[in-house]
PDB file of all heavy atoms in Angstrom:
ATOM      1  N   LEU A  35     150.696 109.493  99.784  1.00  0.00           N
ATOM      2  CA  LEU A  35     150.551 108.043  99.968  1.00  0.00           C
ATOM      3  C   LEU A  35     149.372 107.723 100.882  1.00  0.00           C
ATOM      4  O   LEU A  35     148.657 106.740 100.660  1.00  0.00           O
ATOM      5  CB  LEU A  35     151.844 107.449 100.545  1.00  0.00           C
ATOM      6  CG  LEU A  35     153.066 107.479  99.611  1.00  0.00           C
ATOM      7  CD1 LEU A  35     154.317 107.002 100.352  1.00  0.00           C
ATOM      8  CD2 LEU A  35     152.829 106.602  98.387  1.00  0.00           C
ATOM      9  N   ILE A  36     149.163 108.551 101.879  1.00  0.00           N
ATOM     10  CA  ILE A  36     148.002 108.349 102.766  1.00  0.00           C
ATOM     11  C   ILE A  36     146.708 108.453 101.956  1.00  0.00           C
ATOM     12  O   ILE A  36     145.805 107.626 102.103  1.00  0.00           O
ATOM     13  CB  ILE A  36     148.005 109.383 103.924  1.00  0.00           C
ATOM     14  CG1 ILE A  36     149.108 109.031 104.918  1.00  0.00           C
ATOM     15  CG2 ILE A  36     146.644 109.446 104.616  1.00  0.00           C
ATOM     16  CD1 ILE A  36     149.320 110.065 106.017  1.00  0.00           C
ATOM     17  N   GLU A  37     146.666 109.472 101.057  1.00  0.00           N
ATOM     18  CA  GLU A  37     145.467 109.663 100.245  1.00  0.00           C
ATOM     19  C   GLU A  37     145.225 108.464  99.307  1.00  0.00           C
ATOM     20  O   GLU A  37     144.100 107.986  99.175  1.00  0.00           O
ATOM     21  CB  GLU A  37     145.561 110.954  99.424  1.00  0.00           C
ATOM     22  CG  GLU A  37     145.241 112.195 100.231  1.00  0.00           C
ATOM     23  CD  GLU A  37     143.911 112.072 100.973  1.00  0.00           C
ATOM     24  OE1 GLU A  37     142.917 111.678 100.344  1.00  0.00           O
ATOM     25  OE2 GLU A  37     143.881 112.325 102.197  1.00  0.00           O
ATOM     26  N   LEU A  38     146.300 107.999  98.665  1.00  0.00           N
ATOM     27  CA  LEU A  38     146.159 106.842  97.771  1.00  0.00           C
ATOM     28  C   LEU A  38     145.648 105.631  98.564  1.00  0.00           C
ATOM     29  O   LEU A  38     144.788 104.880  98.108  1.00  0.00           O
ATOM     30  CB  LEU A  38     147.500 106.482  97.122  1.00  0.00           C
ATOM     31  CG  LEU A  38     148.058 107.459  96.070  1.00  0.00           C
ATOM     32  CD1 LEU A  38     149.430 106.997  95.616  1.00  0.00           C
ATOM     33  CD2 LEU A  38     147.101 107.563  94.890  1.00  0.00           C
ATOM     34  N   ASP A  39     146.190 105.443  99.761  1.00  0.00           N
ATOM     35  CA  ASP A  39     145.822 104.288 100.565  1.00  0.00           C
ATOM     36  C   ASP A  39     144.432 104.453 101.179  1.00  0.00           C
ATOM     37  O   ASP A  39     143.728 103.476 101.428  1.00  0.00           O
ATOM     38  CB  ASP A  39     146.876 104.092 101.670  1.00  0.00           C
ATOM     39  CG  ASP A  39     146.824 102.685 102.247  1.00  0.00           C
ATOM     40  OD1 ASP A  39     146.385 101.759 101.531  1.00  0.00           O
ATOM     41  OD2 ASP A  39     147.221 102.514 103.408  1.00  0.00           O
ATOM     42  N   ARG A  40     144.011 105.705 101.398  1.00  0.00           N
ATOM     43  CA  ARG A  40     142.662 105.918 101.923  1.00  0.00           C
ATOM     44  C   ARG A  40     141.617 105.453 100.912  1.00  0.00           C
ATOM     45  O   ARG A  40     140.584 104.896 101.284  1.00  0.00           O
ATOM     46  CB  ARG A  40     142.440 107.411 102.235  1.00  0.00           C
ATOM     47  CG  ARG A  40     141.211 107.657 103.134  1.00  0.00           C
ATOM     48  CD  ARG A  40     140.833 109.128 103.205  1.00  0.00           C
ATOM     49  NE  ARG A  40     141.911 110.040 103.460  1.00  0.00           N
ATOM     50  CZ  ARG A  40     142.501 110.202 104.646  1.00  0.00           C
ATOM     51  NH1 ARG A  40     142.111 109.513 105.692  1.00  0.00           N
ATOM     52  NH2 ARG A  40     143.488 111.070 104.791  1.00  0.00           N
ATOM     53  N   ALA A  41     141.950 105.657  99.623  1.00  0.00           N
ATOM     54  CA  ALA A  41     140.994 105.296  98.567  1.00  0.00           C
ATOM     55  C   ALA A  41     140.766 103.788  98.494  1.00  0.00           C
ATOM     56  O   ALA A  41     139.630 103.330  98.339  1.00  0.00           O
ATOM     57  CB  ALA A  41     141.470 105.827  97.226  1.00  0.00           C
ATOM     58  N   ILE A  42     141.817 103.005  98.627  1.00  0.00           N
ATOM     59  CA  ILE A  42     141.638 101.562  98.399  1.00  0.00           C
ATOM     60  C   ILE A  42     142.260 100.695  99.491  1.00  0.00           C
ATOM     61  O   ILE A  42     142.334  99.485  99.367  1.00  0.00           O
ATOM     62  CB  ILE A  42     142.211 101.128  97.015  1.00  0.00           C
ATOM     63  CG1 ILE A  42     143.693 101.469  96.922  1.00  0.00           C
ATOM     64  CG2 ILE A  42     141.416 101.749  95.879  1.00  0.00           C
ATOM     65  CD1 ILE A  42     144.349 100.866  95.673  1.00  0.00           C
ATOM     66  N   GLY A  43     142.720 101.284 100.592  1.00  0.00           N
ATOM     67  CA  GLY A  43     143.329 100.481 101.640  1.00  0.00           C
ATOM     68  C   GLY A  43     142.905 100.947 103.002  1.00  0.00           C
ATOM     69  O   GLY A  43     141.735 101.283 103.215  1.00  0.00           O
ATOM     70  N   ASP A  44     143.853 101.012 103.934  1.00  0.00           N
ATOM     71  CA  ASP A  44     143.504 101.440 105.290  1.00  0.00           C
ATOM     72  C   ASP A  44     144.221 102.738 105.677  1.00  0.00           C
ATOM     73  O   ASP A  44     144.353 103.048 106.853  1.00  0.00           O
ATOM     74  CB  ASP A  44     143.753 100.341 106.303  1.00  0.00           C
ATOM     75  CG  ASP A  44     145.149  99.744 106.163  1.00  0.00           C
ATOM     76  OD1 ASP A  44     145.944 100.293 105.368  1.00  0.00           O
ATOM     77  OD2 ASP A  44     145.451  98.758 106.840  1.00  0.00           O
ATOM     78  N   SER A  45     144.664 103.471 104.662  1.00  0.00           N
ATOM     79  CA  SER A  45     145.195 104.837 104.791  1.00  0.00           C
ATOM     80  C   SER A  45     146.371 104.976 105.749  1.00  0.00           C
ATOM     81  O   SER A  45     146.620 106.061 106.259  1.00  0.00           O
ATOM     82  CB  SER A  45     144.086 105.821 105.169  1.00  0.00           C
ATOM     83  OG  SER A  45     143.681 105.667 106.508  1.00  0.00           O
ATOM     84  N   ASP A  46     147.114 103.900 105.964  1.00  0.00           N
ATOM     85  CA  ASP A  46     148.258 104.041 106.872  1.00  0.00           C
ATOM     86  C   ASP A  46     149.618 103.933 106.151  1.00  0.00           C
ATOM     87  O   ASP A  46     150.660 104.011 106.791  1.00  0.00           O
ATOM     88  CB  ASP A  46     148.183 103.006 108.008  1.00  0.00           C
ATOM     89  CG  ASP A  46     148.261 101.563 107.498  1.00  0.00           C
ATOM     90  OD1 ASP A  46     148.343 101.372 106.261  1.00  0.00           O
ATOM     91  OD2 ASP A  46     148.227 100.646 108.323  1.00  0.00           O
ATOM     92  N   HIS A  47     149.592 103.780 104.814  1.00  0.00           N
ATOM     93  CA  HIS A  47     150.847 103.506 104.112  1.00  0.00           C
ATOM     94  C   HIS A  47     151.844 104.667 104.238  1.00  0.00           C
ATOM     95  O   HIS A  47     153.031 104.449 104.501  1.00  0.00           O
ATOM     96  CB  HIS A  47     150.577 103.188 102.640  1.00  0.00           C
ATOM     97  CG  HIS A  47     151.765 102.661 101.898  1.00  0.00           C
ATOM     98  ND1 HIS A  47     152.478 101.579 102.336  1.00  0.00           N
ATOM     99  CD2 HIS A  47     152.387 103.090 100.770  1.00  0.00           C
ATOM    100  CE1 HIS A  47     153.482 101.340 101.494  1.00  0.00           C
ATOM    101  NE2 HIS A  47     153.455 102.251 100.541  1.00  0.00           N
ATOM    102  N   GLY A  48     151.363 105.906 104.056  1.00  0.00           N
ATOM    103  CA  GLY A  48     152.255 107.055 104.129  1.00  0.00           C
ATOM    104  C   GLY A  48     152.872 107.193 105.502  1.00  0.00           C
ATOM    105  O   GLY A  48     154.088 107.391 105.648  1.00  0.00           O
ATOM    106  N   GLU A  49     152.048 107.071 106.502  1.00  0.00           N
ATOM    107  CA  GLU A  49     152.522 107.188 107.876  1.00  0.00           C
ATOM    108  C   GLU A  49     153.499 106.071 108.226  1.00  0.00           C
ATOM    109  O   GLU A  49     154.566 106.288 108.812  1.00  0.00           O
ATOM    110  CB  GLU A  49     151.300 107.129 108.801  1.00  0.00           C
ATOM    111  CG  GLU A  49     151.569 107.489 110.226  1.00  0.00           C
ATOM    112  CD  GLU A  49     150.336 107.257 111.095  1.00  0.00           C
ATOM    113  OE1 GLU A  49     149.205 107.312 110.561  1.00  0.00           O
ATOM    114  OE2 GLU A  49     150.515 106.983 112.283  1.00  0.00           O
ATOM    115  N   ASN A  50     153.138 104.849 107.825  1.00  0.00           N
ATOM    116  CA  ASN A  50     153.996 103.700 108.142  1.00  0.00           C
ATOM    117  C   ASN A  50     155.363 103.785 107.452  1.00  0.00           C
ATOM    118  O   ASN A  50     156.398 103.507 108.063  1.00  0.00           O
ATOM    119  CB  ASN A  50     153.301 102.396 107.709  1.00  0.00           C
ATOM    120  CG  ASN A  50     152.191 102.004 108.655  1.00  0.00           C
ATOM    121  OD1 ASN A  50     152.092 102.541 109.769  1.00  0.00           O
ATOM    122  ND2 ASN A  50     151.338 101.095 108.233  1.00  0.00           N
ATOM    123  N   MET A  51     155.340 104.177 106.168  1.00  0.00           N
ATOM    124  CA  MET A  51     156.610 104.262 105.424  1.00  0.00           C
ATOM    125  C   MET A  51     157.479 105.380 105.982  1.00  0.00           C
ATOM    126  O   MET A  51     158.710 105.247 106.087  1.00  0.00           O
ATOM    127  CB  MET A  51     156.324 104.496 103.937  1.00  0.00           C
ATOM    128  CG  MET A  51     155.713 103.301 103.227  1.00  0.00           C
ATOM    129  SD  MET A  51     156.782 101.854 103.230  1.00  0.00           S
ATOM    130  CE  MET A  51     157.996 102.343 102.003  1.00  0.00           C
ATOM    131  N   ASP A  52     156.857 106.500 106.330  1.00  0.00           N
ATOM    132  CA  ASP A  52     157.599 107.617 106.896  1.00  0.00           C
ATOM    133  C   ASP A  52     158.265 107.173 108.208  1.00  0.00           C
ATOM    134  O   ASP A  52     159.463 107.362 108.412  1.00  0.00           O
ATOM    135  CB  ASP A  52     156.630 108.786 107.127  1.00  0.00           C
ATOM    136  CG  ASP A  52     157.366 110.068 107.511  1.00  0.00           C
ATOM    137  OD1 ASP A  52     158.593 110.154 107.282  1.00  0.00           O
ATOM    138  OD2 ASP A  52     156.711 110.989 108.040  1.00  0.00           O
ATOM    139  N   ARG A  53     157.486 106.561 109.077  1.00  0.00           N
ATOM    140  CA  ARG A  53     158.033 106.106 110.356  1.00  0.00           C
ATOM    141  C   ARG A  53     159.149 105.095 110.147  1.00  0.00           C
ATOM    142  O   ARG A  53     160.210 105.154 110.776  1.00  0.00           O
ATOM    143  CB  ARG A  53     156.938 105.491 111.218  1.00  0.00           C
ATOM    144  CG  ARG A  53     157.438 105.113 112.603  1.00  0.00           C
ATOM    145  CD  ARG A  53     156.434 104.352 113.450  1.00  0.00           C
ATOM    146  NE  ARG A  53     155.059 104.685 113.176  1.00  0.00           N
ATOM    147  CZ  ARG A  53     154.251 103.967 112.433  1.00  0.00           C
ATOM    148  NH1 ARG A  53     154.677 102.860 111.874  1.00  0.00           N
ATOM    149  NH2 ARG A  53     153.012 104.346 112.223  1.00  0.00           N
ATOM    150  N   GLY A  54     158.923 104.155 109.220  1.00  0.00           N
ATOM    151  CA  GLY A  54     159.911 103.113 108.962  1.00  0.00           C
ATOM    152  C   GLY A  54     161.234 103.687 108.471  1.00  0.00           C
ATOM    153  O   GLY A  54     162.301 103.299 108.952  1.00  0.00           O
ATOM    154  N   PHE A  55     161.170 104.640 107.543  1.00  0.00           N
ATOM    155  CA  PHE A  55     162.421 105.185 107.008  1.00  0.00           C
ATOM    156  C   PHE A  55     163.110 106.155 107.974  1.00  0.00           C
ATOM    157  O   PHE A  55     164.333 106.291 107.943  1.00  0.00           O
ATOM    158  CB  PHE A  55     162.196 105.814 105.623  1.00  0.00           C
ATOM    159  CG  PHE A  55     162.393 104.795 104.529  1.00  0.00           C
ATOM    160  CD1 PHE A  55     161.311 104.096 104.003  1.00  0.00           C
ATOM    161  CD2 PHE A  55     163.671 104.502 104.060  1.00  0.00           C
ATOM    162  CE1 PHE A  55     161.508 103.134 103.023  1.00  0.00           C
ATOM    163  CE2 PHE A  55     163.868 103.552 103.086  1.00  0.00           C
ATOM    164  CZ  PHE A  55     162.786 102.853 102.561  1.00  0.00           C
ATOM    165  N   GLN A  56     162.325 106.797 108.858  1.00  0.00           N
ATOM    166  CA  GLN A  56     162.985 107.578 109.915  1.00  0.00           C
ATOM    167  C   GLN A  56     163.800 106.634 110.804  1.00  0.00           C
ATOM    168  O   GLN A  56     164.919 106.968 111.238  1.00  0.00           O
ATOM    169  CB  GLN A  56     161.958 108.350 110.761  1.00  0.00           C
ATOM    170  CG  GLN A  56     161.147 109.402 110.004  1.00  0.00           C
ATOM    171  CD  GLN A  56     161.986 110.286 109.096  1.00  0.00           C
ATOM    172  OE1 GLN A  56     163.088 110.721 109.475  1.00  0.00           O
ATOM    173  NE2 GLN A  56     161.503 110.532 107.880  1.00  0.00           N
ATOM    174  N   ALA A  57     163.253 105.444 111.043  1.00  0.00           N
ATOM    175  CA  ALA A  57     163.995 104.458 111.847  1.00  0.00           C
ATOM    176  C   ALA A  57     165.241 103.981 111.111  1.00  0.00           C
ATOM    177  O   ALA A  57     166.276 103.732 111.731  1.00  0.00           O
ATOM    178  CB  ALA A  57     163.070 103.269 112.177  1.00  0.00           C
ATOM    179  N   VAL A  58     165.126 103.846 109.786  1.00  0.00           N
ATOM    180  CA  VAL A  58     166.303 103.453 108.980  1.00  0.00           C
ATOM    181  C   VAL A  58     167.416 104.480 109.139  1.00  0.00           C
ATOM    182  O   VAL A  58     168.575 104.148 109.383  1.00  0.00           O
ATOM    183  CB  VAL A  58     165.921 103.298 107.492  1.00  0.00           C
ATOM    184  CG1 VAL A  58     167.167 103.119 106.636  1.00  0.00           C
ATOM    185  CG2 VAL A  58     164.960 102.120 107.296  1.00  0.00           C
ATOM    186  N   VAL A  59     167.047 105.762 109.012  1.00  0.00           N
ATOM    187  CA  VAL A  59     168.051 106.839 109.099  1.00  0.00           C
ATOM    188  C   VAL A  59     168.696 106.859 110.486  1.00  0.00           C
ATOM    189  O   VAL A  59     169.912 107.007 110.626  1.00  0.00           O
ATOM    190  CB  VAL A  59     167.385 108.202 108.775  1.00  0.00           C
ATOM    191  CG1 VAL A  59     168.324 109.358 109.079  1.00  0.00           C
ATOM    192  CG2 VAL A  59     166.983 108.243 107.290  1.00  0.00           C
ATOM    193  N   ALA A  60     167.871 106.646 111.522  1.00  0.00           N
ATOM    194  CA  ALA A  60     168.406 106.620 112.881  1.00  0.00           C
ATOM    195  C   ALA A  60     169.410 105.477 113.050  1.00  0.00           C
ATOM    196  O   ALA A  60     170.473 105.637 113.648  1.00  0.00           O
ATOM    197  CB  ALA A  60     167.252 106.495 113.884  1.00  0.00           C
ATOM    198  N   LYS A  61     169.063 104.314 112.486  1.00  0.00           N
ATOM    199  CA  LYS A  61     169.954 103.149 112.565  1.00  0.00           C
ATOM    200  C   LYS A  61     171.276 103.391 111.839  1.00  0.00           C
ATOM    201  O   LYS A  61     172.338 102.972 112.289  1.00  0.00           O
ATOM    202  CB  LYS A  61     169.273 101.918 111.965  1.00  0.00           C
ATOM    203  CG  LYS A  61     168.284 101.245 112.911  1.00  0.00           C
ATOM    204  CD  LYS A  61     169.011 100.280 113.832  1.00  0.00           C
ATOM    205  CE  LYS A  61     168.010  99.620 114.786  1.00  0.00           C
ATOM    206  NZ  LYS A  61     168.693  99.012 115.937  1.00  0.00           N
ATOM    207  N   LEU A  62     171.181 104.054 110.668  1.00  0.00           N
ATOM    208  CA  LEU A  62     172.392 104.342 109.881  1.00  0.00           C
ATOM    209  C   LEU A  62     173.360 105.220 110.678  1.00  0.00           C
ATOM    210  O   LEU A  62     174.575 105.041 110.620  1.00  0.00           O
ATOM    211  CB  LEU A  62     172.012 105.049 108.567  1.00  0.00           C
ATOM    212  CG  LEU A  62     171.379 104.204 107.480  1.00  0.00           C
ATOM    213  CD1 LEU A  62     170.871 105.095 106.354  1.00  0.00           C
ATOM    214  CD2 LEU A  62     172.344 103.162 106.945  1.00  0.00           C
ATOM    215  N   ALA A  63     172.793 106.158 111.438  1.00  0.00           N
ATOM    216  CA  ALA A  63     173.630 107.054 112.231  1.00  0.00           C
ATOM    217  C   ALA A  63     174.227 106.316 113.427  1.00  0.00           C
ATOM    218  O   ALA A  63     175.360 106.567 113.830  1.00  0.00           O
ATOM    219  CB  ALA A  63     172.789 108.244 112.712  1.00  0.00           C
ATOM    220  N   GLU A  64     173.449 105.381 113.947  1.00  0.00           N
ATOM    221  CA  GLU A  64     173.858 104.646 115.142  1.00  0.00           C
ATOM    222  C   GLU A  64     175.000 103.683 114.846  1.00  0.00           C
ATOM    223  O   GLU A  64     175.999 103.637 115.558  1.00  0.00           O
ATOM    224  CB  GLU A  64     172.623 103.881 115.622  1.00  0.00           C
ATOM    225  CG  GLU A  64     172.582 103.493 117.062  1.00  0.00           C
ATOM    226  CD  GLU A  64     171.236 102.812 117.344  1.00  0.00           C
ATOM    227  OE1 GLU A  64     170.197 103.489 117.272  1.00  0.00           O
ATOM    228  OE2 GLU A  64     171.230 101.589 117.573  1.00  0.00           O
ATOM    229  N   THR A  65     174.831 102.889 113.771  1.00  0.00           N
ATOM    230  CA  THR A  65     175.858 101.917 113.403  1.00  0.00           C
ATOM    231  C   THR A  65     176.156 102.056 111.918  1.00  0.00           C
ATOM    232  O   THR A  65     175.551 101.372 111.089  1.00  0.00           O
ATOM    233  CB  THR A  65     175.374 100.477 113.664  1.00  0.00           C
ATOM    234  OG1 THR A  65     174.014 100.382 113.233  1.00  0.00           O
ATOM    235  CG2 THR A  65     175.469 100.090 115.109  1.00  0.00           C
TER     236      THR A  65
END
Side-chain angles (χ1 to χ4, degrees):
Chain A
L35 292 174
I36 287 173
E37 280 309 311
L38 290 176
D39 199 26
R40 195 192 313 285
I42 58 171
D44 50 7
S45 73
D46 63 359
H47 191 54
E49 191 186 333
N50 284 346
M51 291 298 285
D52 189 17
R53 185 187 330 100
F55 270 94
Q56 297 314 318
V58 171
V59 170
K61 280 276 179 197
L62 286 171
E64 203 177 293
T65 42

